Amino acid sequence: MRPKDLNTRIFLDGGDPDETKETLKLIGFVDGQTTNPSLIAKNPVARQRMERGEKFTRSEILSFYRDVVRELSTLIPKGSISVEVYADSSTTADDMIKQAQEMFAWIPNAHIKLPTTHEGLKAAEQAVQKGFRVNMTLCFTQEQAAAVYAATNGAKKGDVFVSPFIGRLDDKGENGMDLISNIIQMYKNGDGHVDVLTASVRTIDHHLYALKLVSDIVTSPFKIVKEWSASGLPVPGNDYIYDQKNLRPIVFKDLDLKKKWQDFDIRHELTDKGLAKFASDWNSLIKE
């Protein structure tokens, strides 16, 4: 059952509905789920098909993704299900909007994942004007989070998530959890229309520290949720100390949220690498 002192929504990060069912049995609740092309590629049904040497056509893989998402939606009808558009370095905002329009109609509780790139932010600006809910993914800097805020100005509370990827920053020797703390602090100067979704959770410490920081949402893989459950679903208090493991700190920047999103430097190598990885995983499922 949900801990009484839990003020962070718990999402499951994965593309396997069986894990969602197990999580619901294990802890009694799930507030949402995040999916992406890499997670769909790891879905057991997709893996079995690939092992048989049977790739999907483009229409088949979209139908498969839609069916997975629809099952997740029935399992978590009051939560949010994040569905990611296909995007590589050449995908335009118009391309993303076309995909978003189709995917948003799949289920009633979708957030459409768009990359935190120039074209992704351009698409996000249009998407919120059309009434779509969005989740801006592959965020690695405070500047990117500021640009998400500016691009989605006017959106309703709950309609916009920003997903900083902490694990991939840790891989570079930077303290990814500092980025979560910095974005939360920065957004306190705004109107609260963007929710911070702690993503790329690799360890139970990532999960627990996100709860201590009161990140709006944390999305964790099934193995981390199981570990949290096994320890009694603790919600850390002020006495909790996060082990930074000699990671380099990420310093807070005083950014002006009133600036236009185009005025922020949103470039980051990990965003480019993440975009390429998601596209590659998606393309690996499709027949030539």
Side-chain angles (χ1 to χ4, degrees):
M1 297 297 290
R2 179 187 295 275
K4 290 182 180 179
D5 51 351
L6 179 64
N7 295 308
T8 294
R9 281 170 282 163
I10 305 297
F11 283 19
L12 187 65
D13 192 33
D16 181 1
D18 286 342
E19 288 186 346
T20 312
K21 294 171 187 175
E22 286 299 311
T23 301
L24 288 166
K25 288 179 185 177
L26 197 61
I27 66 174
F29 71 97
V30 180
D31 298 311
Q33 185 146 343
T34 49
T35 72
N36 62 44
S38 297
L39 294 172
I40 292 300
K42 293 176 183 176
N43 177 286
V45 175
R47 284 207 315 267
Q48 290 168 13
R49 178 166 171 161
M50 295 295 287
E51 287 166 3
R52 295 194 302 267
E54 301 172 10
K55 290 193 173 187
F56 297 81
T57 64
R58 291 188 181 276
S59 61
E60 283 175 339
I61 191 59
L62 267 181
S63 294
F64 178 74
Y65 195 1
R66 182 194 62 207
D67 291 345
V68 169
V69 164
R70 284 179 174 172
E71 186 173 358
L72 294 176
S73 180
T74 62
L75 293 169
I76 318 172
K78 295 183 179 179
S80 160
I81 310 296
S82 286
V83 188
E84 186 154 351
V85 302
Y86 174 86
D88 58 21
S89 59
S90 64
T91 307
T92 67
D94 286 344
D95 291 335
M96 293 184 208
I97 286 293
K98 287 176 185 175
Q99 293 179 69
Q101 201 143 11
E102 178 182 353
M103 290 172 163
F104 196 68
W106 285 355
I107 54 174
N109 52 341
H111 274 75
I112 303 302
K113 291 179 84 171
L114 301 167
T116 310
T117 60
H118 181 274
E119 291 301 303
L121 286 161
K122 188 176 174 182
E125 188 173 41
Q126 297 175 42
V128 295
Q129 291 171 2
K130 292 176 180 289
F132 298 166
R133 294 178 294 273
V134 298
N135 178 353
M136 302 306 295
T137 190
L138 293 170
C139 172
F140 294 97
T141 68
Q142 198 181 326
E143 287 89 343
Q144 287 178 325
V148 168
Y149 180 97
T152 59
N153 244 324
K156 293 185 296 183
K157 172 69 175 173
D159 281 4
V160 181
F161 302 158
V162 63
S163 291
F165 275 38
I166 56 175
R168 299 189 192 188
L169 286 168
D170 282 13
D171 291 343
K172 282 191 63 185
E174 298 180 44
N175 185 358
M177 290 306 301
D178 278 350
L179 179 60
I180 301 297
S181 178
N182 292 345
I183 294 172
I184 290 172
Q185 182 180 345
M186 176 177 69
Y187 280 174
K188 286 179 180 177
N189 295 322
D191 61 8
H193 80 269
V194 183
D195 287 337
V196 179
L197 190 159
T198 301
S200 186
V201 168
R202 301 275 182 80
T203 68
I204 188 64
D205 287 327
H206 283 158
H207 182 92
L208 293 174
Y209 196 38
L211 302 188
K212 179 185 177 180
L213 292 173
V214 195
S215 177
D216 296 294
I217 304 162
V218 59
T219 187
S220 295
F222 182 52
K223 66 177 183 178
I224 300 298
V225 176
K226 280 199 298 184
E227 193 173 347
W228 184 48
S229 174
S231 58
L233 304 182
V235 179
N238 292 330
D239 57 340
Y240 176 79
I241 298 175
Y242 176 64
D243 182 3
Q244 299 188 26
K245 301 179 179 65
N246 297 316
L247 296 169
R248 296 189 301 277
I250 299 175
V251 179
F252 176 80
K253 297 180 180 180
D254 189 11
L255 301 178
D256 183 1
L257 293 176
K258 295 179 182 178
K259 289 169 62 175
K260 295 179 180 179
W261 67 262
Q262 295 91 338
D263 293 337
F264 294 102
D265 182 2
I266 60 166
R267 295 168 297 174
H268 199 280
E269 62 174 334
L270 290 181
T271 301
D272 296 337
K273 288 180 179 178
L275 202 64
K277 177 68 165 59
F278 285 159
S280 175
D281 286 344
W282 186 252
N283 290 331
S284 71
L285 299 171
I286 300 171
K287 296 176 183 177
E288 294 293 337

